[in-house]
Amino acid sequence: MPIPPLAGGTAGPAHLRPLLDTVLEALHDGATRRNGPLPAGGPHTVTHHLHHTTGPLIPDHGTGAHHALRTLVTALAEGAADPAHPHCAAHLHTPPLALAAAADLAASALNPSMDSWDQAPAASALETTLTTALAAEIYPHTPHPDALVTTGGTEANQLALLLARERHGPVQTICAANAHHSITRAAWLLGLPQPVVIPAPTGVMDLTALRDALLRNDGPLLVTATAGTTDTGQIDPLTDIADLTTTHGAELHIDAAYGGPLLFSPTHRHALRSLHRAHSVTLDLHKLGWQPASAGILAVPHHHDLDPLHHHAPYLNADDDTDAGLPDLLGRSLRTTRRPDALKIAVTLQALGRDGLADLIDRTITTAHQLADLIDEHPALELYARPTISTVLFRPTHTDDTTVATIRRTLLEQGHAVLGRARTHDRLWLKATLLNPHTTPDDLQQLLTHVTHAHTHATTEGSTPR
């Protein structure tokens, strides 16, 4: 067998081109066979079909590049939960833009490793330019804001708590019941006290409870607020929270993994008023930024806030190399080897510009309101609340939580729709997290038709999916 060709170098593109044709055909064929937002049949059926289709993954004799690509990519696409389908709307699982995916291919082909300059000369410069620009969007009034590229909101939140710990010692975190689970997990990983969790009876942080917690707990204190909760998409009252933390001498971290990109929309950026008052901000562009995962950001108001992350490894950032002018990249992450995720983000921002990104955001939020309108007008459906961003909670009227859960699983088994679930006000709701700017009113109407049919099946047959 000849030595397989490489993706890089001047010959790399010629070797990639025929392979990409095979990949693209396989993606098309798999999506056509699936013919819906996800494969029908449930976990057992999907797993059995995948194993039957792909055969052994480590054969004694290789099948060749085109056969392996065609077989496995087709199987993966056929068995995918495809966020590009308008009825795949359960999670903050975005359909990536084609241009971002294309940029990600270039990143994979060049394979810069973002842990030393000599592995990523241009990529490190591009990442610095991107993180500086994004930090300035969040902190427009400080002279030297900075940001890090992370694997997502979970890593960014963990870094925020780590930096607070390094500034003040074992900080006591205060968060609301609506906070992302990564806050509690980060406190556990970092050996910090268990967070004080205050109520969020209306879906957002209760200000009276926050005031009481700030008075009741000794410092140092770190309040974590949320701009775009995973269950309802709501945004905490950021200005009031910032006022309280200032009054009581606490620091503030804002998890804007979901809602952060609203900054780019003149229509909706007012929802993030006072974001710049936080000591750190999480942003996640593989949510409302249409990037392939991963594309997280942690921003801070001053570049020296990141100094505690500095780490010395002589083979990567020797002192004399740094003194000679080679950039030190180890303090840009807790990870060593890192992909150049900045490339796809930079390509997207440059290609679309502020107005193009704002249009995508505005279209998506408009679509969420269209779905809310359809639910409001439907006599058999109940709307939880008007959407804050693009999350819509609803359920059939006059039904119980068991039936709601059954409806969701029925839709999954049938392959008709991927909806999430959220519990609020002691009731279980179906959750549609709309992130596809191409979704039409007809798509939304068909989604609700699937839900009502599944409800009829669940109530008349009394059956649950196996």
Side-chain angles (χ1 to χ4, degrees):
M1 177 180 289
I3 300 174
L6 303 177
T10 57
H15 295 308
L16 278 171
R17 189 167 287 110
L19 297 174
L20 291 181
D21 286 342
T22 298
V23 167
L24 296 176
E25 289 174 6
L27 286 171
H28 174 269
D29 291 347
T32 300
R33 293 178 190 177
R34 175 177 15 93
N35 192 31
L38 81 165
H44 177 77
T45 299
V46 172
T47 301
H48 176 77
H49 181 69
L50 178 76
H51 291 168
H52 175 74
T53 302
T54 60
L57 295 184
I58 310 179
D60 291 335
H61 303 287
T63 61
H66 289 277
H67 183 275
L69 281 170
R70 187 179 303 110
T71 300
L72 291 170
V73 174
T74 300
L76 195 67
E78 184 178 359
D82 185 359
H85 193 286
H87 297 162
C88 187
H91 305 288
L92 288 164
H93 179 198
T94 196
L97 298 173
L99 68 93
D104 221 20
L105 168 66
S108 292
L110 294 169
N111 204 31
S113 183
M114 305 297 295
D115 49 312
S116 65
W117 183 87
D118 58 359
Q119 298 176 86
S124 61
L126 179 65
E127 181 179 270
T128 298
T129 303
L130 174 75
T131 52
T132 300
L134 288 174
E137 293 293 325
I138 296 170
Y139 296 106
H141 309 303
T142 58
H144 301 293
D146 204 350
L148 302 175
V149 177
T150 72
T151 54
T154 294
E155 183 189 355
N157 287 338
Q158 181 182 343
L159 284 171
L161 268 64
L162 171 63
L163 292 172
R165 187 193 71 178
E166 294 306 292
R167 286 193 296 269
H168 302 296
V171 294
Q172 174 64 66
T173 303
I174 300 173
C175 63
N178 64 355
H180 193 263
H181 65 83
S182 60
I183 299 298
T184 299
R185 174 175 278 191
W188 167 67
L189 284 169
L190 294 168
L192 297 175
Q194 186 172 347
V196 173
V197 179
I198 61 177
T202 64
V204 297
M205 183 181 289
D206 182 270
L207 295 173
T208 300
L210 174 60
R211 184 182 297 107
D212 292 343
L214 289 168
L215 289 169
R216 189 172 60 250
N217 290 276
D218 296 327
L221 302 176
L222 175 69
V223 174
T224 65
T226 307
T229 61
T230 52
D231 277 349
T232 62
Q234 290 174 268
I235 296 174
D236 284 335
L238 302 181
T239 297
D240 293 333
I241 293 170
D243 288 344
L244 283 170
T245 57
T246 300
T247 298
H248 294 276
E251 291 198 349
L252 174 62
H253 169 65
I254 297 178
D255 177 2
Y258 180 9
L262 297 181
L263 280 173
F264 292 100
S265 167
T267 304
H268 298 288
R269 66 178 300 142
H270 65 87
L272 299 180
R273 193 177 293 115
S274 295
L275 189 70
H276 66 282
R277 297 175 62 184
H279 293 80
S280 53
V281 173
T282 288
L283 192 68
D284 202 345
L285 294 172
H286 60 249
K287 293 181 171 63
L288 200 65
W290 296 280
Q291 298 299 296
S294 55
I297 299 289
L298 177 73
V300 293
H302 307 287
H303 63 84
H304 59 73
D305 292 335
L306 300 176
D307 289 350
L309 298 180
H310 174 74
H311 182 68
H312 187 62
Y315 77 103
L316 294 173
N317 60 347
D319 289 339
D320 57 320
D321 279 347
T322 302
D323 293 341
L326 295 184
D328 179 356
L329 305 186
L330 277 188
R332 306 297 298 176
S333 178
L334 293 182
R335 293 170 285 145
T336 304
T337 301
R338 291 192 295 119
R339 298 187 75 249
D341 290 316
L343 175 61
K344 62 196 175 192
I345 301 172
V347 167
T348 300
L349 294 175
Q350 187 171 88
L352 299 182
R354 296 177 187 277
D355 54 352
L357 195 57
D359 180 65
L360 287 180
I361 292 166
D362 293 350
R363 285 176 182 272
T364 302
I365 295 175
T366 296
T367 301
H369 282 274
Q370 290 171 341
L371 177 59
D373 290 339
L374 290 172
I375 295 166
D376 254 343
E377 297 163 3
H378 200 297
L381 296 174
E382 176 184 358
L383 179 69
Y384 168 72
R386 302 298 302 181
T388 301
I389 306 178
S390 65
T391 300
V392 182
L393 302 189
F394 66 103
R395 56 184 278 155
T397 55
H398 310 301
T399 193
D400 56 30
D401 289 353
T402 299
T403 303
V404 172
T406 298
I407 290 168
R408 191 184 92 89
R409 291 192 294 269
T410 297
L411 294 172
L412 291 174
E413 183 167 330
Q414 293 172 339
H416 287 164
V418 188
L419 290 173
R421 53 189 288 164
R423 178 168 293 281
T424 185
H425 290 177
D426 292 325
R427 302 172 75 193
L428 186 65
W429 301 81
L430 297 171
K431 178 176 69 170
T433 308
L434 300 177
L435 293 171
N436 187 340
H438 293 274
T439 299
T440 67
D442 286 344
D443 295 326
L444 300 175
Q445 186 61 66
Q446 184 60 48
L447 175 63
L448 296 183
T449 299
H450 286 316
V451 170
T452 54
H453 285 173
H455 181 220
T456 299
H457 174 78
T459 54
T460 59
E461 300 295 328
S463 60
T464 57
R466 291 172 293 176

